[in-house]
């Protein structure tokens, strides 16, 4: 069982795409174990994107993710990391396959709508950065689980 942090970024919230994006993950079979609307602080943004600190686009990335509210979700499932990332599509939306979130709704890397963790280790770390234990319901029983995994 893996865990991934999904962020429905400011552009997606502003464009009214929250529902359609959640639907993609939900119909894939990933289980929501935490979800909330927050305004990311600069401190949290810098922690979340710390691996990109030296990249030229770091400041822009922090400005973008803190510019407006986001939805953060913790999802759980077998192979949740790869499943979520294939549903999201390539980092550069103009290269993303049709049928992915970025391939269907986005054009440029500056406004690519969604974040998904890139490894099982980072999934655990990132979920813990955004959620307290009390905000998570890991492993709750879903009546459809036996038909999904
Ligand atoms: P992903 O969001 O697909 O995991 P990433 O972790 O490599 O991509 O980068 C994090 C974010 O940084 C990405 O969603 C958009 C931005 N970014 C990445 N590469 C970029 C680039 N070459 N120019 C501008 N922004 C970039
Ligand atoms: Mg990444």
């Amino acid at each position: 069982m893996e865990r991934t942090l999904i962020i429905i970024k400011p552009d997606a919230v502003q464009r009214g795409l929250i529902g359609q994006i959640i639907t993609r993950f939900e119909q894939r079979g990933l289980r929501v174990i935490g979800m909330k609307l927050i305004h990311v602080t600069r401190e949290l943004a810098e922690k979340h994107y710390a691996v990109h600190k030296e990249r030229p686009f770091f400041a822009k990335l922090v400005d973008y993710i803190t510019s407006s509210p986001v939805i953060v979700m913790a999802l759980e499932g077998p192979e949740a990391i790869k499943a979520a990332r294939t549903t999201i599509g390539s980092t550069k939306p103009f290269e993303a396959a049709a049928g992915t979130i970025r391939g269907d709704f986005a054009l440029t890397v500056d406004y690519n709508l969604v974040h998904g963790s890139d490894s099982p280790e980072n999934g655990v770390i990132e979920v813990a950065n955004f959620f307290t234990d009390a905000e998570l319901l890991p492993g709750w029983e879903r009546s459809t689980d036996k038909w999904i995994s």
Side-chain angles (χ1 to χ4, degrees), residues 9 49 52 55 57 61 85 91 102 109-110 112 115-116:
K9 295 180 181 179
Y49 283 128
H52 299 300
R55 309 281 283 276
F57 53 83
L61 207 49
R85 286 185 70 86
T91 302
R102 287 169 173 164
V109 72
D110 292 340
N112 64 10
H115 168 83

Side-chain angles (χ1 to χ4, degrees), residues 28 45 47 59 72 85 88 106 117-119 134 139 146:
R28 190 86 196 262
K47 188 174 187 184
V72 284
R85 286 185 70 86
I88 292 167
S117 307
D118 63 7
S119 70
K146 64 181 177 180

Side-chain angles (χ1 to χ4, degrees), residues 25-61:
F25 296 112
E26 207 177 20
Q27 67 193 7
R28 190 86 196 262
L30 292 165
R31 184 195 346 215
V32 179
I33 62 166
M35 180 159 61
K36 59 187 175 180
L37 177 78
I38 61 168
H39 202 134
V40 177
T41 62
R42 294 194 76 81
E43 186 187 10
L44 181 56
E46 285 172 10
K47 188 174 187 184
H48 175 67
Y49 283 128
V51 293
H52 299 300
K53 210 173 175 60
E54 306 307 323
R55 309 281 283 276
F57 53 83
F58 179 72
K60 204 164 63 174
L61 207 49

